[in-house]
Amino acid sequence: MRGVISVALIALVAAIIAAAVGLVYFDGKLHRVNALSFAGRIAPTPGSNWLVVGTDSRDGLTAAERKRLSTGPDEGGARTDTIMLISTPTSGKTAIISIPRDLYVEIPDGWGSHKINAAFNMGGPQLLVRTVESVTGVHIDHYAEIGFGGFAKVVDSVGGIHVCLKQSLRDPKAGLRLKAGCQDINGRQALALVRSRDFPNADLQRVVNQRKVFAALMAKATSPGVLLNPFRVIPFANGIVDALTVDNDDRSWHLAALAWSLRSSPTMVTVPTGGSVWSQDGDSLAVDSDTEAFFARLARGQSVTADTDADGSSIG
């Protein structure tokens, strides 16, 4: 019996050492950008908050890959197709909070009022963070962004994710073609699902799909089938460090902690808005008292209430 216990302890210690070495190794390969170091930042707020951004950048994609992923041509620059706050309150569950890209806000530095996703195109990650902090009153502790191609490859690296859809979905522009019911989807299909706006409520349904796909990916990445399988966990780790850009002070162990916090049924919610308004940027979403009250809860480190998804679909 002692021999069995000794072998088990040695194996456990070896696994811990291997994991620590892996975190240090992959930390050195992460792409970094100065997103969070600037004057006039919001003071630290209770809890912990990630800003996770999915951009429409085609950087690194060949013409064949752009065709396969139905991303369209590389038009230069980048805007944020996905803006999510991953908020861990002082007590309660971690929440994946979708900020609609059409939310009409004031962009700092004299840019005037625009849809919030324009901030990234105007001034990159730093201006987007400044905008989010000024609108929400929430201090952003960590930052991560990923482009079209990187997202698809990361999903493929874990062997795809499982989705359940109430109805079939078709969107030729996004390359989306999924049947109703439960099914496994690959990276190309997952990318099409998070990009498609071909719904009656357009972007508001898209953000629901985006956060569900993200949660499903984190759950799959932290599952025993991936963590205990070197043929899955190593490609996933390589895919993450190749695809992600993080803030200068973010580390691989911060990313590991983020994934672990989302491994089981995080709260999912879309920032409430004042509804559709017409602006110089076209059809936009207004900030109202409900929006401000929602952000005030986050700034106090309080938990938020989950949405009820209108389409009854689940992704996980």
Side-chain angles (χ1 to χ4, degrees):
M1 179 62 71
R2 284 184 179 179
V4 173
I5 294 174
S6 295
V7 170
L9 287 174
I10 291 171
L12 177 61
V13 170
I16 293 172
I17 292 173
V21 170
L23 285 173
V24 172
Y25 170 74
F26 287 115
D27 182 66
K29 297 180 66 179
L30 281 168
H31 305 287
R32 291 188 165 87
V33 67
N34 178 17
L36 301 178
S37 296
F38 53 86
R41 292 204 63 196
I42 291 290
T45 48
S48 177
N49 298 284
W50 278 85
L51 185 64
V52 177
V53 175
T55 76
D56 62 5
S57 172
R58 279 83 165 166
D59 286 351
L61 292 178
T62 65
E65 288 173 326
R66 291 198 298 270
K67 182 178 180 180
R68 182 177 67 85
L69 297 174
S70 301
T71 66
D74 189 349
E75 298 175 348
R79 291 204 176 202
T80 47
D81 261 20
T82 307
I83 307 173
M84 292 188 293
L85 272 176
I86 313 298
S87 181
T88 302
T90 51
S91 64
K93 295 170 62 176
T94 295
I96 303 178
I97 301 162
S98 299
I99 302 178
R101 71 173 196 169
D102 292 341
L103 193 67
Y104 197 64
V105 301
E106 184 75 17
I107 309 293
D109 290 345
W111 286 99
S113 295
H114 293 279
K115 294 181 181 182
I116 195 169
N117 74 320
F120 188 91
N121 184 258
M122 293 168 174
Q126 198 172 100
L127 185 58
L128 178 62
V129 172
R130 291 185 63 192
T131 302
V132 170
E133 286 196 344
S134 67
V135 170
T136 65
V138 173
H139 181 86
I140 303 302
D141 301 288
H142 306 281
Y143 174 84
E145 72 177 66
I146 188 169
F148 279 167
F151 175 78
K153 290 174 183 175
V154 169
V155 172
D156 284 335
S157 73
V158 296
I161 58 175
H162 192 68
V163 304
C164 294
L165 300 174
K166 186 176 181 179
Q167 58 187 20
S168 61
L169 299 176
R170 300 286 186 273
D171 183 356
K173 290 184 178 179
L176 178 64
R177 186 179 178 87
L178 293 174
K179 61 185 180 181
C182 296
Q183 61 209 281
D184 294 322
I185 63 173
N186 59 28
R188 180 188 61 77
Q189 294 167 315
L191 178 61
L193 182 57
V194 300
R195 289 184 58 222
S196 178
R197 302 180 75 189
D198 191 19
F199 306 102
N201 55 356
D203 200 52
L204 293 179
Q205 179 59 44
R206 179 168 71 164
V207 298
V208 171
N209 293 338
Q210 288 172 344
R211 63 175 179 256
K212 285 183 172 182
V213 167
F214 182 75
L217 176 59
M218 293 298 97
K220 183 71 174 289
T222 54
S223 68
V226 172
L227 290 179
L228 301 180
N229 182 350
F231 296 103
R232 287 295 185 202
V233 71
I234 293 176
F236 172 70
N238 275 316
I240 284 290
V241 298
D242 287 342
L244 277 185
T245 297
V246 297
D247 179 66
N248 287 335
D249 291 332
D250 284 320
R251 301 297 174 190
S252 60
W253 41 93
H254 295 145
L255 291 169
L258 171 65
W260 192 253
S261 74
L262 298 172
R263 70 191 182 280
S264 178
S265 301
T267 300
M268 298 193 190
V269 58
T270 302
V271 171
T273 74
S276 181
V277 293
W278 189 257
S279 73
Q280 63 176 329
D281 293 350
D283 194 18
S284 306
L285 292 170
V287 172
D288 70 355
S289 58
D290 288 339
T291 315
E292 293 168 350
F294 179 88
F295 288 143
R297 286 189 61 83
L298 292 179
R300 293 192 296 265
Q302 297 175 323
S303 60
V304 292
T305 303
D307 283 343
T308 300
D309 297 337
D311 72 346
S313 302
S314 65
I315 300 176

